[in-house]
Structures are given as structure tokens and as C-alpha cells.
Amino acid sequence: MKQISRFSHFGELSDKDYFRIALSVDCVIFGFEEGELKVLVIKCNIKEYKGMWSLLGDLVRPDEDINSASYRILKERTGLDDVYLEQVHTFGKVNRHPAGRVITTAYFSLVNIKDHQLKLSDNELHWHPVKEIGDMAFDHKNILDTCIERLREKVEDHPVVFNLLPKKFSLRELQSVYEAVLNCELDRRNFRKKFFMMDWLVDLNELEEDVPHRPGKLYKFNAAKFAKKAKKIS
Amino acid sequence: MKQISRFSHFGELSDKDYFRIALSVDCVIFGFEEGELKVLVIKCNIKEYKGMWSLLGDLVRPDEDINSASYRILKERTGLDDVYLEQVHTFGKVNRHPAGRVITTAYFSLVNIKDHQLKLSDNELHWHPVKEIGDMAFDHKNILDTCIERLREKVEDHPVVFNLLPKKFSLRELQSVYEAVLNCELDRRNFRKKFFMMDWLVDLNELEEDVPHRPGKLYKFNAAKFAKKAKKIS
DNA sequence: ATTTAATGTGTATTTTTAACACATTATTGT
DNA sequence: ACAATAATGTGTTAAAAATACACATTAAAT
């Protein structure tokens, strides 16, 4: 490590004092299952928060970009390579971690639980409904809330929810994801109208199967039109 | 510093390896002067970027929240205590700083250049027009751009530009800040209409002075109505 | 064949945004 | 004093977007 004393404009601290902070990354991995928005959590094994749910995170390695670190965590925990990931906020309270000074950068990720039958790394891992999650370890509830809020804003005018769905989906499923994320009810006719206008969907000329009612048409996301400006969903 | 080996799920690295990263905070301090959006910068004195403009930043101290660190920087550099400050993004590329592994969290701040005649800490400090700034030291141009983008989004539906103006201002000044921030022209009549509808302004029954034309009415920001939902400005 | 539970579709209303012109007022220069 | 200047102050109309809302259709289950 090279000298970095030139950083310190106010000389009370020596360089090595600044290296007593560790940096971690925490991933809020969202999925969609049974009509609910879920988050991937793990039982905490640190004594102060024993048994509480915590997010998936790890320390950033000295030779690793923080973005890479978050992809690494996702890969290690879910086996997924190509996922939607977005940095949200960095949490830096002095006492947020009982084990020492750890500043953490939070990301949220959107994955599709069904398609790949995720290879979870650990059977302590659990898809928990976002609505019903109570206290969590550390400041993870706060991190989760911040990420949900951000996800809601994002979803309003960016086509990201497709990451939560299988490749082929019905309009009902699509609407249902929006309703789960935004925690509200949407008008079916207006919803459909909006999506057709935005040109984000490709009609696959296939029908749902194994549904106990009239099957809906299946669509896929039209990646080519991704750039097209969105109208507000809700 | 307590043990934190329990973090490291994958044991190739020892704890102390994780403490070879330093964390800094960089502040993008925006001001408004002569009809332009400006940013407070300082000449860089690190050899790799000698003479280039850089943002104001410092390392985070081990016993300091990152938010506090950013307030500290503002206070030290501008003498200001009560300023608008918002975290934007954390930049964590491995080689972003030539002096070592330094991850930085960027904040933007909105200050009023005129009112207090800021006590700048250093005469290497300079209010530079945002439009005309070219390359900057480190990845600071990238950080600046990210913050401008965020400021634009923020301004669209939150009443934050008031922080850039003196307590008393005319509607022309207000519109002019929006135009500078959004880098566009706005329709004067629609602009006024929107602001009156949003109920964010208090008519002070005073007029501008020392203007070479018909003076406009002066207003102040109505903090009480702050919570009221905004309409899109542009 | 009937019931069930969902899909699929269009119009009218309201709200929001966008476009646009002229009289008024204080200052400046002659 | 007067004319010229350069800004303030004010409403209406048209277009676009968001919202509210009902009924026929289809496949599966009984």
C-alpha cells in the first residue's frame, strides 16, 4: 500500500488509522413467488443477532471492485451469473456492526426464482415475503426498506420487473408483479393498454397451461425496445 | 478493533487484508451565480493529476459516520453548517485512486453563494461553471456527472433548489435556477402557474431593488408546505 | 350442460401538460 | 419630460395522459 497521507488535510490521525474501517457489500435479492415479493435472507450466526434474518453480504476484497463484489455474492449464493443489480446506498453509522467499523454498500437485485430453480448455496437461505419480515439483524431492515423504496421508484419508469418473471409470462403475472412491488391494486384494462402502447411486449402466440381457468396469452419482454421512454405505470 | 473473521465466508484472506481499503467522502457542492450552476472545486496537488480540478473530499475517520464526514468537509471548506446534503453513489473501482485502494462515497450539496459570503477555507477553491468543466482529477468528472444527473431527478419533484437561492428571491431568479439545473428553457407563464398551485411560495410584498428594469416581487420558500406533493417542473 | 373464474376489449371523463400574446411598470438615456 | 428599453404580470385554448368503468368470451371443473 502506497502512502496516502496527502489525503489527510487535518493531521491528527496517522495514515494507518484510516485503515481500520472495513467495507462490505449487502445484496437485497428480490424474487417473486406465489404472488408475493420476496427477499432472500439467511439466518444470522453472529451472537448479537443470533437467529435473526440478515441480508447476503460479504467484505469487499482489497483487489475487487465493489460492483464485482456484489456480483460475486450473487453468484456464490444463488448460482446466477446474469442478474439485474443496482447500487442503492451506503450505510456508514459508526456502530452499525457489533464486530467493528464496517461500512456497507447496499445493492438490490432482481432474480427469477422459478426459471432456473436457483442453486442456493446454503439451506439456511430462505425466500421471505417482504411484507411480513419484521426485525432483522444489524441495520438490515433499514437497508431493505431503502431498497424497496428505490425499487418502487425504479419500476415506475424502467422496465426492470421482467427480471423477476420467467421468460414467458402472461399479462396477469406481469400485473401481479407490479402490484406486489408497488403494494397497490392496478386497473387491468389501463395496465394492459399502457404496456401495449410502450411496445415492450412480444406476443408469443402461446397460451398458459395448467391454469384452472381460461388461459391467458404468453408474452416475452421486447429487449429491443428497452430504451423507449416509459409512461408511469401506476 | 474486535475480531471480524466471521465475515469472511471464504477463508483465503485473513482479517487484516480487509483493512487495506480506505474510505473517503467526496462532496459535489453546487452553487448558483450569474445565472449559472457552479460547483466548488480545488486545484489538485497530487502529482498524477497536478493542477486539475478536483472535488472536495477527505478520508472518513474511524470514529465518524460517513454522513458526519460529509458535513465536516462542508463546514471546513465553506464555513456552512446547515446545508442540504444528499448521498448519491459510492465509487469503488480498484484503481480509481493512484495512492492506494480508496473507495469513495459521493454526496451533493446545495448552498447559497450570495447570502453568507461563504468563508472559503482556501484560495485554491473556485466556483466553476458546471457546463464548462472539462477533465477533472481522478474519476471526479464521472462523480460530478452522476451527481448532476441525480440533482436533475431530485429537482423534478422536490423543492430543493431553494437552497441555492437567497432567502428572498424573485420568480425570475427561481425560474433561472431551474433552467440552469435542468439545462433547458421553461415557459414563464406555466412555470409561475405551477409554483402558485404548489403553494410553496410566500409573497413578501417586497420588490427587487437595483435591477435595471421593472422590479419583480420577492418571495420566500414556504417551509410549512414542504411536504406537499410536487408536480413535475419541466 | 351448467357453473366458475379468469381473459380480452373500448369509450367517456378528468386531469395534466404545453403552447402562446399583450398590456404594465420601473429604469435608462436623450 | 419623454421615448426607448427590458423586464414583470396575467388566461385561455389545445393536446396528451391518466382514470374510471362493464360486458362478452373462453377454457376448465363439476
Side-chain angles (χ1 to χ4, degrees):
Chain A
M1 180 64 56
K2 300 178 209 166
Q3 256 291 19
I4 64 151
S5 63
R6 33 186 154 165
F7 273 115
S8 180
H9 300 292
F10 309 90
E12 316 95 41
L13 295 172
S14 75
D15 285 1
K16 76 177 200 310
D17 290 317
Y18 288 106
F19 289 89
R20 285 165 44 189
I21 303 179
L23 196 93
S24 71
V25 155
D26 281 300
C27 294
V28 174
I29 305 173
F30 289 115
F32 179 70
E33 204 179 36
E34 293 158 351
E36 285 184 306
L37 186 65
K38 297 193 174 176
V39 57
L40 191 59
V41 289
I42 190 169
K43 276 266 163 62
C44 189
N45 60 3
I46 286 184
K47 76 165 187 298
E48 288 86 350
Y49 298 108
K50 202 80 180 182
M52 298 178 80
W53 295 118
S54 75
L55 299 169
L56 301 178
D58 197 8
L59 293 175
V60 176
R61 300 177 180 179
D63 61 346
E64 179 180 55
D65 289 355
I66 49 170
N67 289 341
S68 314
S70 55
Y71 280 111
R72 172 172 58 81
I73 288 164
L74 265 156
K75 175 72 175 175
E76 285 168 356
R77 296 325 195 108
T78 65
L80 293 180
D81 243 332
D82 256 357
V83 290
Y84 183 86
L85 194 60
E86 174 172 332
Q87 192 195 111
V88 175
H89 195 83
T90 295
F91 296 81
K93 289 237 171 83
V94 172
N95 292 312
R96 58 171 297 282
H97 201 296
R101 182 71 202 276
V102 182
I103 291 174
T104 198
T105 298
Y107 288 74
F108 80 82
S109 175
L110 303 174
V111 308
N112 165 12
I113 301 181
K114 288 173 203 160
D115 251 11
H116 326 266
Q117 274 310 352
L118 305 185
K119 303 227 166 46
L120 299 182
S121 68
D122 191 322
N123 55 16
E124 295 286 283
L125 285 171
H126 168 65
W127 286 105
H128 201 293
V130 160
K131 265 187 165 176
E132 294 147 31
I133 209 159
D135 279 353
M136 297 178 73
F138 315 102
D139 53 357
H140 285 190
K141 183 57 160 58
N142 185 18
I143 295 178
L144 172 60
D145 289 342
T146 306
C147 287
I148 292 172
E149 200 180 322
R150 181 71 143 267
L151 172 61
R152 285 189 180 137
E153 289 164 9
K154 189 75 182 190
V155 141
E156 283 285 355
D157 40 22
H158 295 267
V160 297
V161 300
F162 298 102
N163 294 290
L164 291 166
L165 288 170
K167 286 246 160 51
K168 302 176 177 189
F169 50 85
S170 67
L171 276 172
R172 173 66 206 147
E173 288 173 294
L174 184 60
Q175 178 173 344
S176 159
V177 187
Y178 274 98
E179 290 177 335
V181 169
L182 297 172
N183 194 29
C184 68
E185 292 197 345
L186 299 174
D187 180 276
R188 199 157 51 93
R189 276 178 290 183
N190 294 336
F191 181 85
R192 298 163 81 90
K193 201 192 312 173
K194 246 172 212 170
F195 272 85
F196 291 135
M197 287 215 307
M198 286 190 294
D199 217 12
W200 282 348
L201 299 178
V202 178
D203 185 339
L204 293 171
N205 292 308
E206 291 178 61
L207 294 178
E208 285 180 298
E209 281 170 27
D210 305 317
V211 285
H213 54 75
R214 173 179 176 182
K217 283 180 156 189
L218 290 176
Y219 297 84
K220 69 172 182 180
F221 174 55
N222 184 354
K225 301 291 177 69
F226 190 86
K228 192 150 181 169
K229 199 178 166 72
K231 319 212 172 261
K232 265 190 93 184
I233 301 303
S234 65
Chain B
M1 179 65 58
K2 299 178 209 165
Q3 256 291 18
I4 64 150
S5 63
R6 33 186 154 162
F7 274 115
S8 181
H9 300 293
F10 307 91
E12 317 94 41
L13 295 172
S14 77
D15 284 1
K16 76 176 201 307
D17 291 317
Y18 288 106
F19 288 90
R20 287 168 39 192
I21 303 179
L23 196 92
S24 72
V25 156
D26 281 299
C27 294
V28 175
I29 306 173
F30 289 114
F32 180 69
E33 205 180 34
E34 295 157 350
E36 286 184 307
L37 186 65
K38 296 192 174 178
V39 58
L40 192 59
V41 289
I42 190 168
K43 277 266 163 61
C44 190
N45 60 4
I46 285 185
K47 74 166 189 294
E48 288 84 350
Y49 297 108
K50 201 81 178 180
M52 299 178 79
W53 295 118
S54 76
L55 299 170
L56 302 178
D58 197 7
L59 293 175
V60 176
R61 299 176 180 181
D63 61 346
E64 180 180 54
D65 289 354
I66 50 171
N67 289 341
S68 314
S70 55
Y71 280 111
R72 172 172 60 80
I73 289 165
L74 266 155
K75 176 71 175 173
E76 284 168 356
R77 298 325 196 108
T78 66
L80 293 180
D81 243 332
D82 255 356
V83 290
Y84 183 85
L85 195 59
E86 175 171 332
Q87 192 195 112
V88 176
H89 196 82
T90 295
F91 296 81
K93 288 237 171 82
V94 171
N95 292 312
R96 56 171 299 282
H97 201 297
R101 182 71 201 276
V102 183
I103 290 175
T104 197
T105 299
Y107 289 73
F108 81 82
S109 175
L110 303 174
V111 309
N112 165 12
I113 301 181
K114 287 174 201 159
D115 251 11
H116 328 265
Q117 273 311 351
L118 306 185
K119 301 225 169 44
L120 298 183
S121 69
D122 191 320
N123 54 16
E124 295 285 284
L125 285 172
H126 168 66
W127 285 106
H128 200 293
V130 160
K131 266 187 167 178
E132 294 146 31
I133 210 158
D135 278 353
M136 296 179 74
F138 315 101
D139 53 356
H140 286 190
K141 182 57 160 57
N142 184 19
I143 295 178
L144 173 59
D145 289 342
T146 306
C147 287
I148 292 172
E149 199 179 324
R150 181 71 143 267
L151 173 60
R152 287 192 178 134
E153 289 165 10
K154 189 75 183 190
V155 141
E156 284 285 356
D157 42 22
H158 296 268
V160 296
V161 302
F162 298 102
N163 295 289
L164 291 165
L165 289 170
K167 286 247 158 54
K168 302 175 178 188
F169 51 84
S170 67
L171 275 173
R172 172 67 204 147
E173 289 175 294
L174 184 60
Q175 181 174 341
S176 158
V177 187
Y178 274 98
E179 290 178 335
V181 169
L182 297 172
N183 194 29
C184 69
E185 292 198 346
L186 299 174
D187 179 277
R188 198 156 51 92
R189 278 178 289 185
N190 292 337
F191 181 85
R192 298 162 81 89
K193 202 190 313 170
K194 246 171 212 171
F195 272 86
F196 291 134
M197 287 216 309
M198 285 190 291
D199 218 12
W200 281 349
L201 300 178
V202 179
D203 186 341
L204 294 171
N205 292 310
E206 291 179 63
L207 295 177
E208 285 181 296
E209 281 169 28
D210 304 317
V211 286
H213 54 75
R214 172 178 177 181
K217 284 179 156 191
L218 291 177
Y219 297 85
K220 68 172 183 181
F221 174 55
N222 184 353
K225 299 292 178 65
F226 189 88
K228 192 149 181 172
K229 198 179 168 72
K231 317 213 173 259
K232 266 190 95 184
I233 300 304
S234 65

